[in-house]
Amino acid sequence: MLNRRHILLGSAATVGALSVPAVLRAQSGPIRIGLITTLSGPGQVYGQYIKDGAELSVARINSEGGVNGQQIELVVRDDKNSPDSALAAYRELTGSGIKLIAQGTFTANVLATLPLLKDDGVTSLVVGSSALSVTHENFTPNMFRLGYSAPMCFGGYGHLMAERFPEINKWALVRSDVQALADITNYFASGLVKKAEADGRKLELQEPILVPYNGADFRNQISQVSNSGADGLFNCLQGADAISYYKQARSFQLDKRFKLLCDSANELTVAKALGKNMLESTWSWTAWYPQAMKDNPSSDALHKAYTELRNDPYPNWYVGVSHDCIATIAEGIKATQSIEAADLIPAIENLSFQGATGNVTFRKEDHAFAGDLTYIRFGRSDTTETGWEVFETVHMAGAEFLEPATPGQKL
Amino acid sequence: MLFTLINSLTLGMAVFLVAAGLTLIFGIMRILNFAHGAFFMLGAYLTSTMVQDMPGSVWILIGTALVAGVIVGLFGLAVQHFVLSKLDGIDEHFMLIATYAVMLMTVGGIKSVWGLEFHSVDPPPGLDLGVDIFGTFVPSFSLFIICAGGVVFLILDYVIHRSWAGKLAVAIARDNWTTNLMGVNGPLGTKIVVAASFALAGLAGGLLLPNQTLSPALGDTFLLMAFITIVIGGLGNIRGAFVAALIIAVIDGLNTYFLPSFPGVIIYVGMVACLLLWPNGILGESRL
Amino acid sequence: MSSSVAERHSGREQALTLSQINRVLFVAAAVIIAAMPYLTNSGLLYLVGTTLILAVYSVGWNFLFSWAGLASFGSGGLFCIGAYVSAVALRAGWEQYFLLVIVVATLAGAAVAFLVGFVALRRTSGIFLAILTLSLAELLRHTLMHTRWLGSEDGLPNITRPTVSFIFFELNLKSGPAYYWFICAFAVVMLGICWWLSHGPLGRRLQAVRYDIERASFVGIDVHRNRLLAFVISGAVAACAGAVYAPWAQIVTPELSGMIRSTQPILFTLLGGLHSFWGPVVGAFAFMGIDYATRTLIGIQEIITGGILLGVILVFRGGIVGSWNALLARIFPGRGEQ
């Protein structure tokens, strides 16, 4: 596992990196892409998915002969989920001559590096991060977001639910007490209401019930929501919070009290953790569900490679998105033969290719991702070994739900 | 209202289970153990490995939690032997950074053994649903946690205040030097209390496992609350920690009932108020 | 003065006394730090700049801890207040008044520290004060996370580095190296003030209180007033450091008020050396060094960092500064003053 050689190698690498002047190392040899993500602290599990996806993408590109004959080298740094460490990593990478960056998980860490991209001539692909500010008031032309803006992905979600289940008119909402999840909940609600109103229905939406973020016990709120008398329920909690919440909700038989359950974005993470005690049925948004994309060779190849790497046939959606981030950079370089931001940015703006998550394309004005949306319904099953299965998948084009482009300004 | 109170009591007892070991080690060594949360988590992970997806019965859960407690206690012994005892005689604040380092290593170790993915262990059959008390629906596992907290408190209280071993530990904590003079093996006594403190962390991890989600961040959820509890109660005072856990439960209940738009925030306000009202903790500081 | 005494003791043929060795090291370190922009890339420069700010912040904390004997676990809250004041002011376009902004931020920190200290210091001390301040900082963090106009949990990004105008000339701090040197100047000024405070009458009075509270009050020292003063000064230094930090990082988030930021000065001080003025500075740079050297060891970084820390603590019992001086005294016996 861990031995003296590791340490020696590490310190040797450090000494090496310190002693060679930056100029000498600039882009002779492989094309170097920096990846800054959360590999320790809260959110590290997502960072691990991002790292896996990016590394698999690089491995695939290199095994196919690289980009224009040049190999790609991925330099990974940990942002420790703090803007401070993200900045230190970014400056270290750019200081050593790297012009291509992929960065992701939490918005604050991304916001830290955004203002620097232009002056440094760096092209950056943002993995995930759904916050509006990235493509609006904090827009910078050097950034492309391969992430799903809240209006697009959760407005679309609300739209889909209102369209599919016109009989459900009473909705309850539960969310963690943080702003990012408040935005998601609000856009889901407005998606629901808009579609229902267009169909001439009036919905009754209850005030969101708030649960503590990173909390230990959610039973008070669970009992409140199970007595709400609503038919539909939208749960907007993240990671461990979500799993604890569903676990503690089991004794209340939450899934029997509601006709329709919607989880925000935890997709199969919930099912994988709960196993045989999974909810009867719930919807969730996801960016990548490879089992439903058998006609997509890029998705298939990534799925196979990931299953081999982690022995897990149900990869998290971050794997697909971070794979596509690296693929986007590679496709851009292929098109323009250059890694300079001035050439690469227009190339990526005009790009449209099939990535693992579907069609990858960006809106020109604000570089927001305008690809496909995927929603899945899954739940308990007595016939499968895992104790759960995915019942159905819905693909939608995301562009029509995208919020208006206002780069540089608040929406 | 009754329901809210029972739920908040569940949270309070869960916090007490974690805080019990923390206050014990503070009582004897005067240190805030940063690594406590990590060892709590270690107990949870060990239990999950032993019971897999679901413990077969309540007794299996308790049994494996005890085993996990013993293993974590042994880890504690190792920490005491290789780290804490080496820092004897220098400023006690250095224990703080030592436990911080131990925490880093433990969390790192857990990550490399069990990985980062979320795991979940279900309550044993019989405790996974609810019962009806006075017309109020109560989840059975909540009752289990409340009982576990109560039992652990009673045992600890008996051992510390009534038994010979407890009195010895109190003597060592009050005045190690004199106790040594009287022919008691002080270092051994300290070792036992430290091991017991870590074992309690491991036990708490095992018992609370079906209530939480396993991830390498689990320790953080409880550590701060446990710190707060032992300080409000009076440091090193097991009865104080119990009372403080009850107070936290009541505050949290009132918070959910009257101020649902700020979940989990009022605890800090209550805590500041408690500290200003009882500057040395509700039941006062005690060396065990 | 002390070195001349040592010279007399050890004879003239010995070239260096212990404090001279340390002084040479100190000057060398200062020169290296000042020349950093010419020596490294922007990544390390950013880290060193941050570490300088955190070092000043920790020296302020240590003034409260090692001199006044009061432990605060909530200093991150005051750092955060300073950072937010500076961030809001700079984003509102008051960049030419940056020095004034720093002063205002410092005063804001001092005022909050005064309010907290005025209520808390009379009633609590020791670990109780520590936890009280910790929960106040947590409250601040939660409040900031719920404050939409301060950016909620994502904080305030895009903070512009200022161009400061004086009467006769303009100081452009927009570039990395320029702001870095500004931080250096800030560190020199703040460390100078802290040095003067801790070695002046106030520092002596505080130490008297720390050693023996009863005797100190008997000889006429107003214990509460002096402690409160130390609490306010420490808070002011934290907020001032925060105010300088905001344009360096160009983003502030509520996490600045979190437990990690508050425990930083404690860890720095303990690693560097208790009851030593330079301890926190040494500790801060040691931590930074460990962090930087292990940054590529993804997945095992925590184990390695923990192991190194543990090793350092077990080998240098009493912190790096104390052990270093003891080591020098052992290698060159007869040259030291003590």
Side-chain angles (χ1 to χ4, degrees), chain B residues 247-265:
Chain B
I247 289 183
I248 283 199
V250 172
I251 294 176
D252 182 66
L254 293 176
N255 186 356
T256 339
Y257 204 74
F258 293 109
L259 256 179
S261 46
F262 294 98
V265 177

Side-chain angles (χ1 to χ4, degrees), chain B residues 116-146:
Chain B
L116 298 172
E117 295 267 352
F118 300 112
H119 291 288
S120 156
V121 170
D122 289 298
L127 288 184
D128 51 348
L129 296 173
V131 288
D132 203 307
I133 299 177
F134 305 127
T136 312
F137 173 81
V138 179
S140 338
F141 201 77
S142 300
L143 291 180
F144 173 75
I145 293 176
I146 295 173

Side-chain angles (χ1 to χ4, degrees), chain A residues 56-73:
Chain A
L56 291 172
S57 184
V58 168
R60 184 183 59 84
I61 294 167
N62 284 345
S63 71
E64 287 166 4
V67 180
N68 303 329
Q70 260 184 306
Q71 295 278 297
I72 292 182
E73 184 195 336

Side-chain angles (χ1 to χ4, degrees), chain A residues 10-22 25 77 92 96, chain C residues 41 292 295-296:
Chain A
S11 43
T14 312
V15 172
L18 279 177
S19 53
V20 184
R25 281 177 288 132
R77 287 289 180 272
E92 184 209 337
S96 71
Chain C
N41 71 32
Y292 190 74
R295 74 196 184 289
T296 52

Side-chain angles (χ1 to χ4, degrees), chain B residues 32 86 88 90-91 93-94 96-97 100-101 104-105 111 224 231 235 268 271 275-277 279-280 285, chain C residues 65 123-124 127-128 131-132 134-135 138-139 142 259 266-267 270 274 302-303 306-307 310 313 317-319:
Chain B
L32 277 180
K86 299 272 189 291
D88 231 13
I90 55 173
D91 196 304
H93 290 100
F94 278 96
L96 209 63
I97 195 170
Y100 177 79
L104 281 183
M105 293 176 75
K111 275 167 62 173
L224 194 60
V231 171
L235 282 159
Y268 297 106
M271 212 193 113
L275 280 173
L276 290 176
L277 283 175
N280 291 312
E285 190 170 351
Chain C
F65 184 69
R123 300 199 52 89
T124 61
I127 200 83
F128 296 95
I131 296 289
L132 179 76
L134 174 70
S135 44
E138 272 300 297
L139 259 180
H142 278 280
M259 204 169 156
I266 307 172
L267 296 176
L270 288 172
L274 273 180
E302 276 151 324
I303 299 181
L310 211 53
I313 282 301
R317 291 162 49 108

Side-chain angles (χ1 to χ4, degrees), chain C residues 36-101:
Chain C
M36 241 7 217
Y38 299 112
L39 299 175
T40 61
N41 71 32
S42 57
L44 202 55
L45 185 71
Y46 178 73
L47 267 181
V48 175
T50 311
T51 310
L52 272 176
I53 296 172
L54 292 181
V56 170
Y57 160 56
S58 307
V59 165
W61 181 85
N62 190 36
F63 178 66
L64 186 65
F65 184 69
S66 289
W67 267 260
L70 297 170
S72 160
F73 274 20
S75 48
L78 294 157
F79 186 89
C80 184
I81 288 173
Y84 267 81
V85 167
S86 160
V88 169
L90 289 176
R91 277 166 59 101
W94 294 349
E95 52 169 292
Q96 70 268 41
Y97 308 116
F98 181 52
L99 294 182
L100 195 65
V101 168

